[in-house]
Amino acid sequence: MPISGLDGFEVHPFYDDFSTPTFDAKHNLIKGGSWISTGNLAIRDSRYAFRRHFFQHAGFRYIESEEEVEIKSDYYETDELVSQYCEFQYGQKYFGVENYALSCIGLIKSHIKDVKRSNALDLGCATGRMTFELAKYFDHVTGLDFSARFIRIGTQLKESGKLNYIRQEEGQLNSYQEFKLSDFGLDQYRDKVEFYQADACNLKTLYTGCDLVFAGNLLDRLYDPKKFLKEIANRINKDGLLVLTSPYTWLEEFTEVENWIGGFRKDGEPYSTLQGLKDLLSDQFDMMEEPQDVPFVIRETSRKFQHTVAEMTVWRKK
Ligand SMILES: C[S@@+](CC[C@H](N)C(=O)[O-])C[C@H]1O[C@@H](n2cnc3c(N)ncnc32)[C@H](O)[C@@H]1O
């Protein structure tokens, strides 16, 4: 069984890398002291972490139990991008900029009141904050993302209600962060959310009949955003909502130029992404109001931040 912190575990600031590096699912747990150890490691209640391939001075008694073994999976997340998104979606507020999911909810709240509230989709959900936030309003919310690394976090939060991650501070220096869904009043919504791996440009027919589809900062990360926009209407109920936010940061690394929605010259004239959205969506949707700015800050290290301003548009299915 992998070792992890007991309930209420806290990192001591004078020795922050003592136990936490072993909460990585690669270290197992030995319980009980040994005559070969010293001090508190020799007592009955001692707990050791060890890697599976290490030779140990360990003897054991064989005990059989009917009890199902609960294997905890709350080790410290080390994937750099995933950790960055944990901090972005659940971490501190920087430069006074509100949490992104909360800002978006604030802007769409008045529209949500008018729609049926059975099913919502959070497309490109990353670590799932918006999925949980939407569950305050909808009976069932599905968070979908291309990346299994992200989906794993949403699923862990749904199952255990908490998460630990390593945050980069400076060079090789890190800090150990942890949060609980209950810190944000979201614990009670765990049963209403689900997370799956999926491609927004090639969605299974299963994801149909939605009252709201939220695609937060997804558009300019898609390989075929035009296909996504053409097909998404088929997933949304009449009078349902499509909420798009994006900083329109088109990069060939993610999207070939011929698939960009805007941000280029057309017939010699500047053609904006907003215009492209109107041209692609207006047959099947009404734009509900003028686009709105939504600022957000992504922290890379203690001294490097990306401060971006996305544009939000809200569309109602005809
Ligand atoms: C910039 S992040 C935005 C995350 C989140 N919506 C937010 O606002 O914080 C874009 C997310 O879209 C996901 N993504 C990229 N291409 C995708 C695709 N084709 N289908 C589903 N998700 C995709 C990425 O894995 C990433 O999690």
Side-chain angles (χ1 to χ4, degrees), residues 79-94:
D79 183 301
E80 204 176 305
L81 189 65
V82 175
S83 293
Q84 240 175 52
Y85 267 88
C86 286
E87 180 66 14
F88 172 52
Q89 297 196 330
Y90 301 93
Q92 268 172 253
K93 198 167 159 179
Y94 296 101

Side-chain angles (χ1 to χ4, degrees), residues 26-258:
K26 292 180 188 134
H27 288 73
N28 274 36
L29 168 68
I30 297 186
K31 279 180 165 174
S34 158
W35 55 267
I36 210 163
S37 303
T38 53
N40 61 3
L41 294 181
I43 63 175
R44 187 199 58 187
D45 300 315
S46 63
R47 301 166 88 237
Y48 302 81
F50 68 101
R51 296 214 195 186
R52 283 158 213 156
H53 57 271
F54 272 30
F55 174 73
Q56 298 291 327
H57 294 283
F60 60 91
R61 274 180 297 153
Y62 181 79
I63 301 164
E64 220 175 59
S65 164
E66 302 277 290
E67 220 29 49
E68 207 169 301
V69 179
E70 186 204 343
I71 298 187
K72 289 192 174 187
S73 59
D74 56 347
Y75 54 87
Y76 279 78
E77 177 61 47
T78 53
D79 183 301
E80 204 176 305
L81 189 65
V82 175
S83 293
Q84 240 175 52
Y85 267 88
C86 286
E87 180 66 14
F88 172 52
Q89 297 196 330
Y90 301 93
Q92 268 172 253
K93 198 167 159 179
Y94 296 101
F95 308 111
V97 177
E98 180 59 282
N99 174 278
Y100 195 63
L102 294 181
S103 294
C104 291
I105 289 283
L107 292 172
I108 60 175
K109 226 176 192 169
S110 59
H111 301 298
I112 291 180
K113 276 197 275 166
D114 300 331
V115 294
K116 199 172 139 237
R117 301 211 222 141
S118 298
N119 283 309
L121 267 192
D122 179 11
L123 283 181
C125 62
T127 51
R129 176 71 187 262
M130 188 61 168
T131 314
F132 283 103
E133 293 292 341
L134 284 169
K136 286 182 182 166
Y137 302 90
F138 290 85
D139 297 337
H140 190 259
V141 188
T142 309
L144 300 177
D145 203 286
F146 214 20
S147 157
R149 288 143 78 202
F150 281 131
I151 291 309
R152 197 164 41 83
I153 302 298
T155 305
Q156 188 183 323
L157 283 169
K158 174 185 164 66
E159 282 168 7
S160 71
K162 58 184 183 174
L163 197 96
N164 307 324
Y165 62 99
I166 290 181
R167 192 177 74 177
Q168 199 195 346
E169 298 301 333
E170 182 186 319
Q172 293 177 338
L173 302 179
N174 298 317
S175 65
Y176 297 91
Q177 305 293 321
E178 58 180 47
F179 67 88
K180 296 192 178 75
L181 283 178
S182 55
D183 301 339
F184 312 105
L186 294 171
D187 201 50
Q188 59 195 292
Y189 303 108
R190 280 158 58 187
D191 290 345
K192 293 170 104 187
V193 302
E194 281 181 300
F195 294 92
Y196 297 108
Q197 193 178 12
D199 179 359
C201 302
N202 194 15
L203 276 182
K204 289 183 190 152
T205 44
L206 164 78
Y207 304 117
T208 316
C210 301
D211 302 307
L212 179 138
V213 171
F214 178 78
N217 297 343
L218 174 71
L219 216 52
D220 57 7
R221 291 292 168 268
L222 293 176
Y223 60 88
D224 198 345
K226 282 187 191 159
K227 182 168 185 271
F228 163 69
L229 289 171
K230 274 186 207 147
E231 290 175 3
I232 198 67
N234 303 329
R235 313 307 178 132
I236 303 177
N237 295 331
K238 185 177 177 318
D239 294 326
L241 296 176
L242 170 64
V243 181
L244 302 173
T245 75
S246 173
Y248 309 146
T249 319
W250 297 107
L251 294 170
E252 286 184 68
E253 179 191 342
F254 297 110
T255 323
E256 287 178 19
V257 182
E258 65 257 33

